[in-house]
Amino acid sequence: PAPAEAGRAPGPPDGGWGWVVVFGAFVSIGFAYAFPKGLAIFFKEIQDFFGTSYSEVAWVSSIMLATTYGAGPISSILVNRYGSRPVVMFGGLLCGVGMISAAFCTSILQLYICVGFVTGFGLALNLQPSVIIIGKYFLKRRPLANGLAMAGSPVMLCTLAPLNQFLFDNFGWRGSFLILGAILLNCCVAGALFRPIGAGTALVKTQVAEEGKDALKGKITEGGTEMSSAVKVPMENKTEEEEGKDCFEKINQYLDFSLFKHRGFLIYLIGNVLMFLGFFAPIVFLAPYAKHIGIDEYSAAFLLSILAIVDMVARPTTGIVANSKWVRPRIQYFFSFAITFNGACHLLCPLASSYTGLVVYSSFFGLAFGMVCAMLFETLMDLVGAARFTSAVGLVTIAECCTILLGPPIGGILIDTFGDYKYMFIKCGAVMVLAGTFLFIMNYYNYRMLAKEEKERKTKEEDPKSVRTENEGRKNWNKDSTQDGPELEPLREEGEEVKKEMNGT
């Protein structure tokens, strides 16, 4: 085997250049989350320009969000193969090309391709590598680093909303898309800050794996010379099975499907898929709900600014709290509480019939939304570890893609059916409370099972010594009893007869 220290990757520095990496992730994550929401300002003019319905224009954002989350496994594979830096830089290039191309589109279908698929895929290549690289640079301060990086979303949302309005008033939607494409190229600069860390580990693992395979082949060859021809046939079949397993291992090298056997990962996946049915719909319908109860347009839009400002403060604060010695060991409980708190805010929203009440709701909603987003990836890394986190993010995002798409349309169906927004908020609140309760109960079960398995593991580590001692005692007892005399001779003869009969059968 290779020496223990040779080629080993250094541990996470928990600082230094890591804070520059956090800044780059702040920019990349901010664009990935906020950009699809900021495009809604241009939809009205695009609708009039192409003569389409609002639902057809709204598909631009839907396709972009679906591509951003659905391309998660592809992003994970690319990160595992090439690292975070080139993937983010290529994603920033795709974002710029997609938006610049959209400025010359002549049909809504071309917008679907340029803005929805190309730019959405570029944002997907920005989101996951930015989260993954933080886990490589931070360990003790990882919750704080994740909270600061995730704060990029509300900061960018506050910045893009007035910027897009300014660009729209001065340059129209085509000129605005050209400028936004140039701005998105700054993701390439953010990706350039992601200096690789720990490249030596892969080399050591590869060398050890190759040496292990060579040793295994040697043992099989040596054993094969001693085997009879009747045993060689199954051995050939076994070799074919191993070749099939090697193909599956090559796939798992980039996307670890064995995570579906991981108890904690399955609990997280089910809870999050359920949660996203009610996660984004309240943000989409908050301003229309305010207008529905008679509040003017500017005051209704200001509710989103209040939500974003509180969210901006809540994310790093949540990271500090989650990093404390009281919360860090049981961070899954804190995440469950944040989801339940979010759902409780939505359940109480229909009681807010005045603008003051909606301001209070927006403040608490921003706090709960920021808490959930700050811990969304930290809790996943806490469950599966940094080594398997890349594959875990890819598998989670593609599963969440379906419920992200279904959440707002289901809310819209409830509004059209009952003619009232309160049923949409009640649905979202009930779903999130259910998801938070499920995660709390199942995480309690998971913690209990982990403690039990750890106890059994320690017991097994102590058992071989006692088993070996018992076996030695039995051998010594047999020797002594054989030397004592012929008292046990009949028992030995019976045992030899039983062995002969077994050999005969």
Side-chain angles (χ1 to χ4, degrees):
E5 300 297 328
R8 176 172 288 181
D14 272 310
W17 188 262
W19 297 116
V20 180
V21 172
V22 169
F23 174 74
F26 176 92
V27 175
S28 298
I29 293 173
F31 277 122
Y33 277 119
F35 194 78
K37 303 170 189 174
L39 285 181
I41 292 174
F42 305 106
F43 284 174
K44 182 62 179 174
E45 185 177 354
I46 293 173
Q47 177 185 348
D48 296 337
F49 184 86
F50 290 114
T52 58
S53 64
Y54 183 81
S55 60
E56 290 176 326
V57 176
W59 273 105
V60 175
S61 287
S62 298
I63 294 172
M64 183 185 293
L65 280 170
T67 307
T68 301
Y69 280 84
I74 300 175
S75 180
S76 297
I77 292 171
L78 292 175
V79 172
N80 282 332
R81 180 67 180 86
Y82 301 105
S84 294
R85 175 188 273 177
V87 173
V88 174
M89 295 179 71
F90 180 64
L93 183 63
L94 278 181
C95 290
V97 170
M99 290 304 297
I100 292 171
S101 302
F104 302 96
C105 290
T106 56
S107 67
I108 194 69
L109 180 61
Q110 294 175 1
L111 278 181
Y112 291 162
I113 297 172
C114 294
V115 179
F117 289 108
V118 178
T119 306
F121 185 62
L123 294 177
L125 298 183
N126 275 271
L127 176 60
Q128 293 190 33
S130 303
V131 178
I132 291 166
I133 194 70
I134 292 175
K136 294 182 179 180
Y137 269 92
F138 290 90
L139 180 62
K140 294 180 180 178
R141 299 178 181 175
R142 194 175 63 209
L144 175 61
N146 275 324
L148 291 172
M150 296 298 288
S153 174
V155 171
M156 288 294 180
L157 184 60
C158 289
T159 306
L160 283 175
L163 175 64
N164 286 350
Q165 189 63 49
F166 172 79
L167 294 176
F168 173 71
D169 293 338
N170 289 274
F171 304 103
W173 70 271
R174 290 189 183 274
S176 299
F177 279 14
L178 281 172
I179 297 172
L180 288 174
I183 292 174
L184 283 174
L185 289 175
N186 285 286
C187 292
C188 299
V189 181
L193 301 176
F194 294 169
R195 182 192 300 167
I197 185 173
T201 308
L203 297 175
V204 174
K205 288 181 178 178
T206 306
Q207 291 173 0
V208 172
E210 289 177 355
E211 290 174 1
K213 286 182 179 178
D214 293 338
L216 183 61
K217 288 178 181 177
K219 289 182 180 179
I220 292 173
T221 306
E222 292 173 3
T225 57
E226 299 175 0
M227 288 182 181
S228 62
S229 58
V231 182
K232 287 182 181 177
V233 176
M235 197 63 199
E236 292 176 1
N237 295 335
K238 187 176 180 182
T239 306
E240 293 177 359
E241 292 176 2
E242 287 177 354
E243 289 177 358
K245 288 182 180 179
D246 289 340
C247 296
F248 186 72
E249 286 173 1
K250 288 180 181 178
I251 298 174
N252 270 350
Q253 185 180 359
Y254 301 109
L255 204 61
D256 189 2
F257 288 100
S258 66
L259 282 166
F260 287 108
K261 297 180 181 179
H262 191 289
R263 183 174 58 245
F265 174 77
L266 288 176
I267 293 171
Y268 177 92
L269 182 64
I270 295 170
N272 274 258
V273 168
L274 182 61
M275 177 194 73
F276 273 102
L277 277 174
F279 193 60
F280 285 116
I283 299 178
V284 174
F285 293 108
L286 178 58
Y289 174 61
K291 296 175 185 177
H292 178 74
I293 61 176
I295 297 172
D296 63 277
E297 294 181 357
Y298 290 99
S299 299
F302 186 65
L303 292 174
L304 289 175
S305 300
I306 294 173
L307 188 150
I309 292 170
V310 177
D311 185 8
M312 194 187 309
V313 179
R315 296 195 189 202
T317 305
T318 302
I320 295 172
V321 174
N323 200 40
S324 64
K325 61 181 180 180
W326 300 283
V327 179
R328 183 75 181 272
R330 292 292 183 266
I331 195 172
Q332 304 297 332
Y333 291 148
F334 192 33
F335 183 56
S336 305
F337 165 76
I339 296 174
T340 307
F341 176 49
N342 204 321
C345 292
H346 302 328
L347 289 174
L348 296 175
C349 179
L351 300 178
S353 57
S354 63
Y355 186 70
T356 304
L358 286 179
V359 168
V360 174
Y361 164 73
S362 300
S363 302
F364 280 99
F365 181 24
L367 174 62
F369 190 82
M371 290 173 64
V372 173
C373 290
M375 292 186 292
L376 195 61
F377 295 110
E378 171 60 30
T379 49
L380 179 59
M381 190 177 293
D382 177 72
L383 287 169
V384 302
R388 307 173 77 185
F389 179 69
T390 307
S391 297
V393 172
L395 295 174
V396 166
T397 50
I398 194 169
E400 292 170 350
C401 170
C402 301
T403 50
I404 287 171
L405 279 178
L406 290 175
I410 292 174
I413 291 172
L414 291 174
I415 294 170
D416 293 336
T417 303
F418 298 99
D420 198 341
Y421 284 79
K422 68 178 182 180
Y423 296 103
M424 185 275 303
F425 284 103
I426 291 173
K427 183 271 298 184
C428 294
V431 166
M432 295 202 70
V433 168
L434 179 62
T437 306
F438 169 81
L439 284 174
F440 186 87
I441 295 172
M442 295 306 295
N443 282 321
Y444 173 76
Y445 166 76
N446 189 35
Y447 279 132
R448 291 288 299 272
M449 292 299 294
L450 288 174
K452 183 179 178 182
E453 290 166 1
E454 179 68 16
K455 187 176 179 180
E456 291 177 353
R457 185 184 64 82
K458 289 181 179 179
T459 306
K460 286 181 179 179
E461 288 178 354
E462 298 172 356
D463 277 349
K465 298 179 182 178
S466 59
V467 170
R468 194 160 52 245
T469 305
E470 290 176 2
N471 290 336
E472 290 174 357
R474 287 175 181 172
K475 288 179 181 178
N476 294 333
W477 183 80
N478 288 333
K479 285 181 181 179
D480 295 339
S481 60
T482 305
Q483 292 173 359
D484 286 342
E487 289 85 7
L488 299 177
E489 192 67 23
L491 295 177
R492 282 200 298 272
E493 291 176 357
E494 289 179 9
E496 290 173 359
E497 291 175 2
V498 170
K499 287 181 181 179
K500 290 178 181 177
E501 290 177 2
M502 291 175 65
N503 292 330
T505 54

